[in-house]
Amino acid sequence: MAAPRVGSTVTASPAAATAGNTATVFYYTKTRNWTQYYLHYAPDGASWTQVPGVAMDAGCTDWVKKTVDLGSATTWQATFNNGSGTWDNNGGKNYALGTGTITVKDGVIAHSDPCAGGDGGTGTPTPTPTATSGGTATVFYYAQTVGWSTVNLHYAPNGGAWTAVPGIGMDQACPGWFRKTVDLGGASGLAATFNNGNGTWDNNNGANYALSTGVSTVKDKVVTENAADPCASVVPDTTPPTVPTAVKATATDTSIVLTWDPSTDDTGVTGYQVTRTGGTKGSQVTTVGSTVLSESGLEANTTYAYTVKALDAAGNVSAASASASATTGSAPPPAKPGTPIGTDPRKDPIYFVLTARFYDGDSSNNRGGNQDVKSGNAANNDPMFRGDFKGLVQKLDYIKALGFSAIWITPVVLNRSDYDYHGYHGWDFYRVDPRLESAGASYQDLINAAHAKGIKIYQDVVYNHSSRWGAKGLYVPTVYGVRDSQWSWYYDQKQDGFEYDGLTIDPATGKSYYNGDLWSTAEPSGNTCMNWGTPTGQKSPEGYTLYNCQWPGPTNKLFPASLYHQCWIGNWEGEDSRSCWLADDLADFNTENPTVQNYLIGAYNKYIDMGVDGFRLDTAVHIPRVTWNRRFLPAIQQRVLQDWGQDKAQNFFVFGEVGAFVNDKWNRGSVNHSAQFYTWKERKQYTDDDVQAALDQYTYEEQLGTGNQPTSTNAFLQGNSYHTPDHSQFSGMNIIDMRMHMNFGDAHNAFFNGKDSDDSTNDATYNVVYVDSHDYGPNKSSVRYDGGQDAWAENMALMWTFRGIPTLYYGSEIQFQAGKTIDCGPSCPLATTGRAYYGDHLEGTVTASDYGVVSGASGEVANTLAQPLVKHLQRLNMIRRAIPALQMGQYSTDGVNGGISFKRRYTDATSGVDSFALVTVTDAATFTGIPNGRYVDAVTGDVRDVTDGTLSITAPGKGDMRVYVLDLGGKNAAPGKIGTDGPYLK
């Protein structure tokens, strides 16, 4: 849960019903300086007024107002204009308003009457009564600590009735202080509470404030009676902020990004007012809190001009900045579906990125989420959703310059959870998360742009679970919630007709809408959760009351058992690890249910249709193998075959995360929980009932045990000869090499452990091999690998030459965040973790003329590309790409005497390729029984003529290696020395 907003304590009384279906809206004029004000509106379900709308009436100083009849509607859309073509339409989103009294001030919606009492609606402050004034009380409230821009006084004279919620609006008396004078009749005092008009209250921790006649101040819950006027010595702030400078507009297609340098002010700048002119829609006025405005969907081939004014807390407005202009281009055509590249996936080393943390190409889709403050991200100006597809497109040349030809990206579906930037809390599996997309940089655009550069896209997909709020289109639970003083910070106001997108901002709070449509205080019809809304007797970490049915979970019956499993995992190596919840924010699908299966298959068909090149299967071990083999894997293959044909289908790369965090061949002796188990088809027929089949398979295979599992020679040479692999029993799922991963604290351990599991894997040459990731470092370490540069160089040399597909987690090429905790959730800032933002290292430009070849670079990215491990990585990729045996070859250690030493061969009769290589990493080695002939080292260019079947190599040193390639002439000639000497390969 997120930390409560400052000042959200205890609600004094429940919200009162609004009077009828009318609304009175007050609009703040001081920052506009228009000569006329019009309200253009439409009650929900009704038509808009005729442009420009209805003229607004004078209210009091700096305010105009209008009361409208909403008919049967309770919500309405509104915009404001000056009658001459200049508009405030909330940045293009319109204002969503309700009934009662409403204020709109610089884009912020609140609920109070700014002209009520005190000044009689004239704008002239009421004189402050002295302490001897009878029958009246003047209350000063200090709002700077709680961060409110609007304050209401909700009170009851002693012995009298309370005002209607939310009370009466207080006037800003001086910076930080709000004031209101009230008539108490014959009462000697009053009970009082304060609120911001949006459900956040301060009522003295439930005790209410007891105030007397005369002057009282309330500051940080301390009451001072017979107080001096705290504003008496305060000189009114009449100084406007400085004029914004360096205003710059840049157009891309039909989008414009406007930037400027921040203004200064004697009390502090609170925001900026941007006026845009141009196009057929007239002037537009938008208020923003930062020095960046990003607009998309503008008219094509149109010049727009912008000016910027700065605002301060006293309502002072600077003069307008100098104008900046930009001309849009043609609207980009809709992206056409891409076509998978379709080559053997073993040829393509993989670069793994958390899209939201890689590079920020569009700041307008950045979102901090409801954990922004609690996590510490807000203090770092580092929203969790920061990187995006546009940034990834802009840095494709960086990835290619490293030598990679495939990118594994985290899940792209619309997420919905407390802390969901990583993508594993899917909510709408049929929609790409808008926080990742931009105009001209949709997911389809990314796929197409990557393919244009010869780079594959592997999409991370989740079949095991949804977000804690369920999955849109399948089942979304309604939970208990109450917007009282403890929980109003957490539960959004309901917005009828609003559809969650993760992106849209609530103008009242400045935050994304999160869960307003998910909760109900009243028990919904058909509820099956027991004891709806009754206190559990427990408290949240903040000390707040917890209620039954407040959080979705597997045991409280908020989810139907037909669609979601109903238990917590008890034994991680037991059957329940495949049919129970992993965590409270990962609602576990009942993947044996046909409705669930069809929902997921239909969702992921969409991305196959877009032309992705493969799927990484998240939490694969938590779905029974028989379900994968009978339902999901055939569905993937059938869709790829239908869309793209046999040649593409056979190389659509599917690799699963089968988490096994031990160092033995079989995960604690359980075949069902071991990675290699998932690479095989079933060996017997099971009942058509998928639930029973899963239980039967588990028992059957567990009883057969580790000694009776299938074996394979697909990864191994026969002597020195390559043989055609037998994939007839292949399930369709390759695997992440968890055993090597767990042992990469030392490259020698990783090498020997990897070899030990290869005979029980269908074809280990397809294993995805990495040192660390977004989850763990070696040996289940919770930090990013910190073994040092030499060890990193050695690990890379092994991964790029041994069987399997080398994979690198973003930033490891410069030891980014080495030793930092990989993931601590919202308990610490992302900037301090292994998931930190990488974009600072990528600023500037880079052009890759080939894989691993930089033709030009400038700025910070040039410094990044000059780092020692980057140079090492680039050359490793060049060497691997030039030698087919290192990409697709089988291997053997027979006749090999050394440490990390092996021989590899790949032969293809159709193409005539025959590639044979001898490899040693770090250590000396002797190879015996090898074919005679001429061998050339790809690292040094050294030539050896073998006549007795033996070749000996001296130790090249840690991180260095030797790759002697048999020169067979013609197309199979040894390539000779590849690349130039670097810090390790020399």
Side-chain angles (χ1 to χ4, degrees), residues 501-579:
D501 61 7
L503 190 67
T504 301
I505 295 294
D506 178 356
T509 64
K511 298 183 179 181
S512 298
Y513 288 107
Y514 173 56
N515 59 13
D517 59 324
L518 300 175
W519 62 273
S520 172
T521 302
E523 184 172 359
S525 61
N527 169 57
T528 56
C529 181
M530 298 293 291
N531 302 314
W532 178 266
T534 60
T536 65
Q538 299 175 317
K539 300 289 185 180
S540 75
E542 297 89 352
Y544 301 158
T545 299
L546 295 176
Y547 301 91
N548 283 306
C549 312
Q550 190 171 14
W551 310 114
T555 59
N556 58 16
K557 307 302 181 183
L558 281 169
F559 285 100
S562 61
L563 303 178
Y564 283 86
H565 289 136
Q566 304 284 298
C567 55
W568 295 106
I569 288 181
N571 177 3
W572 285 83
E573 275 72 45
E575 193 282 326
D576 61 345
S577 74
R578 298 177 302 107
S579 58

Side-chain angles (χ1 to χ4, degrees), residues 64 119 275 533 605 649 866 967:
V64 292
D119 60 9
T275 300
N605 280 349
D967 187 355

Side-chain angles (χ1 to χ4, degrees), residues 336-359:
K336 296 179 180 179
T339 302
I341 291 176
T343 53
D344 191 313
R346 294 173 296 179
K347 294 181 177 181
D348 301 301
I350 302 169
Y351 192 70
F352 172 33
V353 300
L354 269 72
T355 307
R357 308 302 301 159
F358 186 62
Y359 189 74

Side-chain angles (χ1 to χ4, degrees), residues 814-890:
I814 61 170
Q815 300 181 82
F816 180 60
Q817 298 296 90
K820 299 294 180 64
T821 300
I822 293 172
D823 175 28
C824 58
S827 65
C828 70
L830 279 167
T832 66
T833 73
R835 298 177 177 179
Y837 177 65
Y838 192 56
D840 295 338
H841 298 278
L842 301 177
E843 294 296 345
T845 62
V846 57
T847 302
S849 57
D850 203 348
Y851 302 103
V853 181
V854 179
S855 58
S858 64
E860 186 56 33
V861 71
N863 296 327
T864 300
L865 290 166
Q867 298 304 304
L869 285 179
V870 171
K871 296 298 184 185
H872 184 59
L873 178 63
Q874 288 171 318
R875 195 171 182 206
L876 284 171
N877 270 317
M878 291 180 191
I879 291 171
R880 187 179 190 273
R881 197 170 295 279
I883 303 171
L886 301 185
Q887 302 169 41
M888 300 167 289
Q890 296 164 341

Side-chain angles (χ1 to χ4, degrees), residues 350-355 357-358 402 404 408 410 421-422 424 769-777 783-785 792 796 799-800 806-817 821-823 833-836 838 873:
I350 302 169
Y351 192 70
F352 172 33
V353 300
L354 269 72
T355 307
R357 308 302 301 159
F358 186 62
L402 296 178
F404 291 96
W408 157 17
T410 41
Y421 65 95
H422 42 66
Y424 297 98
V769 182
Y770 56 65
V771 174
D772 63 359
S773 72
H774 59 323
D775 288 324
Y776 295 104
V783 302
R784 286 192 76 157
Y785 181 68
W792 253 123
M796 288 181 182
M799 288 193 292
W800 262 257
T807 301
L808 197 71
Y809 186 39
Y810 80 102
S812 290
E813 63 269 25
I814 61 170
Q815 300 181 82
F816 180 60
Q817 298 296 90
T821 300
I822 293 172
D823 175 28
T833 73
R835 298 177 177 179
Y838 192 56
L873 178 63

